[in-house]
Amino acid sequence: MKNSEDLGNIISLSKIGQKIFEIKGKYHPNLIANLSREAYDLYVIRMSICDQLLEQLDKKGITVEKIEDFIKNKMKESKEQLDKAKDEMESELIQLTIKEWKDFYKYMK
């Protein structure tokens, strides 16, 4: 039974990695400079999330459950930052960050 659980974990982690590279592949490096402010903000948030998740995937002994816990923790941290936001623009960026973390979490379910 352990081998099938390990295989399932490997497949799930592989799908997470594929999703990350799919997101990263949506942005052509030569076109990033031409994005609107809103689109650029979204790009920066998505790249940050992808980079953080890739870092987690590289850790020894990582499991899907640990990735889910990492995402939940990031959403919690972002919500705490939202409570401390000083202006509307900062609030909007944090809300967008929370939404992107939630979207990735939903993808995993």
Side-chain angles (χ1 to χ4, degrees), residues 38 41-43 45-46 49 90-103:
E38 293 83 11
D41 290 344
L42 184 58
Y43 161 77
I45 290 167
R46 286 180 176 167
I49 288 171
E90 184 180 4
S91 292
E92 289 173 10
L93 288 174
I94 295 170
Q95 287 172 347
L96 187 56
T97 301
I98 293 168
K99 180 193 173 301
E100 290 300 314
W101 279 115
K102 282 182 182 178
D103 288 349

Side-chain angles (χ1 to χ4, degrees), residues 4-5 15 29 34 39 41 49-50 55 63 66 69 71-72 74 79 83-84 89 93 97-98 100 104:
S4 65
E5 288 175 16
K15 286 182 180 181
N34 297 327
D41 290 344
I49 288 171
C50 287
E55 189 176 305
T63 63
K66 288 180 182 178
D69 289 343
I71 292 173
K72 286 185 220 175
K74 288 296 184 177
K79 288 176 184 175
D83 292 339
K84 299 174 186 173
M89 187 172 152
L93 288 174
T97 301
I98 293 168
E100 290 300 314
F104 211 102

Side-chain angles (χ1 to χ4, degrees), residues 46-73:
R46 286 180 176 167
M47 292 305 106
S48 173
I49 288 171
C50 287
D51 291 342
Q52 290 176 65
L53 289 172
L54 282 174
E55 189 176 305
Q56 293 300 308
L57 287 175
D58 282 343
K59 289 185 175 179
K60 186 175 177 113
I62 195 68
T63 63
V64 173
E65 290 79 21
K66 288 180 182 178
I67 297 286
E68 288 176 356
D69 289 343
F70 177 79
I71 292 173
K72 286 185 220 175
N73 188 39

Side-chain angles (χ1 to χ4, degrees), residues 13-27:
L13 291 173
S14 175
K15 286 182 180 181
I16 293 168
Q18 286 176 331
K19 178 68 174 176
I20 290 168
F21 288 113
E22 178 184 309
I23 291 169
K24 284 182 159 277
K26 287 182 180 180
Y27 296 96

